[in-house]
Structures are given as structure tokens and as C-alpha cells.
């Protein structure tokens, strides 16, 4: 997607404390010219965190609100207009965000949260053009992808590319799983084509504390002490595999990006700060056992009812008032 060698900025970062995190982000983005290298005055900027679930708020299943806060502040200072968006598997983006401690930053920055809605876009590969992507991401001036480092029981790891699956609206995710059947390679290609279509301007990976083991939500927190950033999301994911010491063929999204010719060789990636070998983790835990990626019809129906129950009954209806969307 880029003609010049892609650059991945990697630094050590150990704190979510406001001042320390702000300093870390300044260092992280300095090789790209700071946030101003991506955001211009008047830009509508989608911040796309990982808002997987509200059920385990202390287990690092979602992107930390502290990171979202500091990035939003930087966008505002650059003259941009940030808004938050995601499409969680269960519940609403606002409900999951509130359960994970996002309320203070939403109030302080008057940051809108939008619920994603679908629309077909011709930019999707012709093999997958019947699938929906959210118009809110496709029509934003700038997309800043804010994933969390997590192991994943279906895809081994979830990093930058997988986080963009949140731009598939609502329960369409389950139908994507069904469409792919048991073919992890095809599902990986779907995710890569989604990332290509959305083409995030910047990805900042939250790896200060990750989630290892039986993720994306059933594992446990693990300190990594890493922040990563890149304009090329495929290069960022490839670099992170070196840090976690996971072979690319074990991660369907990275393997698919290599087959489709969008993942650069590690030797072609520039590392203006630290190189991956200086940040390697010796014993990162992957899932005990990988699960099939397909959702059988009864599971899709059950999942859909669960989603509707959480969104409209279990979550307080006040969560849907004044969403600024």
C-alpha cells in the first residue's frame, strides 16, 4: 500500500499515567512528524479502539481509555475533530466503553461515540463485495486504529488488522464467520481486504499491558511494556510477531497479508526507534487450543439474540441518550 519502505516506531512504555503516557506517545510519533503528520485542521478523525466486551473490565480485554484520551487530546490540539466508534460483538460501543472506564474522557473531551452502520463499498475485493463495511469509517477524513495486543482462540493473535473487523457493523461479523466456513485462510483474507479497504492512516498499538492465553477475552493481563505505531498496519503486525516470537504462518491475518502481497518483508521495514529484537518476549502465552472460526446457524441465532438482549435490555436505556451520533 506504500511505495517506500514502511516504518514502524517501537518504544518501551510501562505506564498509563497521563504525563508519562503523553511523553511516550510524543516519542512514538516523532519519526512521522507527530500527530500533525496525519491530522490537519478540520479533519473528522475516527478513533477505533478495541471495545470487545464490558464483561471483564480489569482484564485488559479492551484498549485502555488512558491511551484513547491522550490520542484524542493530540488530535484536538492538531485541529482535528475526534469521534469514537466501534461495533462490539455484544452490546453497544457506548455500553462497552462505559463499562471499561471511558466516561471521564468522554465527558472531559466531549467525545462523541457512534454506533456503526453498514454500507457496501466498491473498494472491497470482488470476492467479498457482498459484505458490509461501516460508512462512518469509510467516510472519515482520518482513521486512527487503536488495537490491543491480545492472543486469540480463533486467530492466534489479534493486532492491528483484526481490530479493523470492528468496522463490520453489528451482527454481520457472525455472518462473515459463516461465509468463511472452517477456512481460516479465507477468513484471514477477508480481514486483510477489510483493512485494505479502510486503509487506516495511523495505527497505534496498546501493548503496555496485553492479554495473553485464551483471548480475546478469556485470558489474563500480561505486561509487555511496548507501544507501536505505523502508517502501514500490515508492517506493524509483522513487527509485533517478532516481539512476541510467533511465526507468521500461525497467524491467519499475517499469513494472508503475505499471500496477498501487502505485508512487507521484515528486512524491508525501517525501525526509527527500537528494533523488535530489543523488545522480545520469551514466553508469551498463546491459546491452549485453537477453535474453529465458523459459526453454525444455531450459534449465529443465539449470538444475535444475546447481542440484542445486552444492547436493548441489559444495558440501561440511558446509555443510548445523547450519543452525539
Amino acid at each position: 500500500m506504500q511505495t517506500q519502505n514502511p516504518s514502524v516506531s517501537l518504544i518501551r512504555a510501562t505506564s498509563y499515567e497521563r504525563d508519562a503516557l503523553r511523553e511516550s506517545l510524543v516519542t512514538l510519533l516523532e519519526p512521522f512528524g507527530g500527530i500533525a503528520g496525519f491530522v490537519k485542521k478540520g479533519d473528522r478523525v475516527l478513533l477505533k479502539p478495541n471495545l470487545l466486551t464490558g464483561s471483564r473490565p480489569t482484564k485488559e480485554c479492551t484498549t485502555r481509555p488512558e491511551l484513547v484520551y491522550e490520542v484524542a487530546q493530540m488530535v484536538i490540539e492538531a485541529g482535528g475533530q475526534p469521534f469514537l466508534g466501534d461495533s462490539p460483538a455484544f452490546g453497544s460501543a457506548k455500553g462497552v466503553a462505559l463499562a471499561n472506564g471511558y466516561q471521564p474522557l468522554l465527558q472531559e473531551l466531549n467525545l462523541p461515540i457512534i454506533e456503526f452502520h453498514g454500507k457496501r463499498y466498491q473498494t472491497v475485493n470482488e470476492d467479498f463485495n457482498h459484505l458490509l463495511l461501516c460508512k462512518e469509517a469509510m467516510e472519515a477524513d482520518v482513521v486512527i486504529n487503536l488495537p490491543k495486543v491480545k492472543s486469540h482462540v480463533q486467530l492466534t493473535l489479534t493486532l492491528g488488522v483484526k481490530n479493523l473487523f470492528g468496522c463490520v457493523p453489528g451482527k454481520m461479523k457472525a455472518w462473515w464467520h459463516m461465509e468463511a466456513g472452517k477456512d481460516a485462510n479465507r477468513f484471514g483474507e477477508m480481514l486483510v481486504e477489510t483493512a485494505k479497504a479502510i486503509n487506516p492512516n495511523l495505527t497505534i498499538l496498546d501493548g503496555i499491558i496485553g492479554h495473553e492465553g485464551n483471548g480475546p477475552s478469556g485470558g489474563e493481563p500480561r505486561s509487555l511494556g511496548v507501544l507501536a505505531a505505523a502508517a502501514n498496519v500490515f508492517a506493524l503486525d509483522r513487527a509485533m510477531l517478532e516481539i512476541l516470537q510467533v511465526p507468521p504462518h500461525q497467524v491467519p491475518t499475517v499469513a494472508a497479508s503475505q499471500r496477498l502481497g501487502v505485508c512487507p518483508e521484515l528486512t524491508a521495514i525501517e525501525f526509527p526507534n527500537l528494533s523488535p529484537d530489543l523488545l522480545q518476549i520469551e514466553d508469551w502465552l498463546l491459546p491452549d487450543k485453537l477453535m474453529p472460526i465458523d459459526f453454525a446457524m444455531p450459534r449465529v441465532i443465539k449470538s444475535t439474540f444475546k447481542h440484542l438482549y445486552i444492547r436493548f435490555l441489559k444495558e440501561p436505556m440511558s446509555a443510548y441518550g445523547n450519543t452525539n451520533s
Side-chain angles (χ1 to χ4, degrees), residues 55 58 126 150 167 171 179 207 239-240 259 263 271 290:
S55 66
T58 64
E126 63 182 13
K150 297 192 289 183
C167 294
K171 297 311 296 178
E179 202 277 347
M240 281 305 303
R259 288 195 305 275
C263 180
F271 297 102
L290 291 179

Side-chain angles (χ1 to χ4, degrees), residues 114-170:
I114 62 161
E115 306 295 336
F116 286 162
H117 303 287
K119 185 175 180 180
R120 287 186 174 87
Y121 285 88
Q122 296 301 315
T123 47
V124 181
N125 178 285
E126 63 182 13
D127 290 338
F128 308 119
N129 64 6
H130 58 291
L131 300 171
L132 301 179
L133 295 177
C134 70
K135 62 185 177 65
E136 294 84 2
M138 298 297 290
E139 295 174 358
D141 297 312
V142 177
V143 176
I144 299 180
N145 186 23
L146 298 171
K148 185 82 168 179
V149 178
K150 297 192 289 183
S151 293
H152 196 287
V153 294
Q154 290 177 314
L155 295 166
T156 306
L157 285 169
T158 173
L159 300 166
V161 169
K162 175 60 171 64
N163 193 53
L164 295 167
F165 193 38
C167 294
V168 174

Side-chain angles (χ1 to χ4, degrees), residues 6 21 32 39 48 61 80 82 106 166 209 216 247 250 255 261 270 279 292-293:
L21 182 56
F32 309 113
V39 178
K48 168 55 184 82
C61 301
L106 299 177
I209 302 176
Q250 290 187 19
E270 297 179 356
L279 294 164
I293 63 167

Side-chain angles (χ1 to χ4, degrees), residues 87-93 95-96 115 306-308 310-311 315 320:
S87 180
F90 300 113
S92 68
V96 173
E115 306 295 336
K306 182 177 178 182
H307 172 79
L308 295 174
I310 291 175
R311 181 164 183 181
E315 287 180 0
Y320 300 94

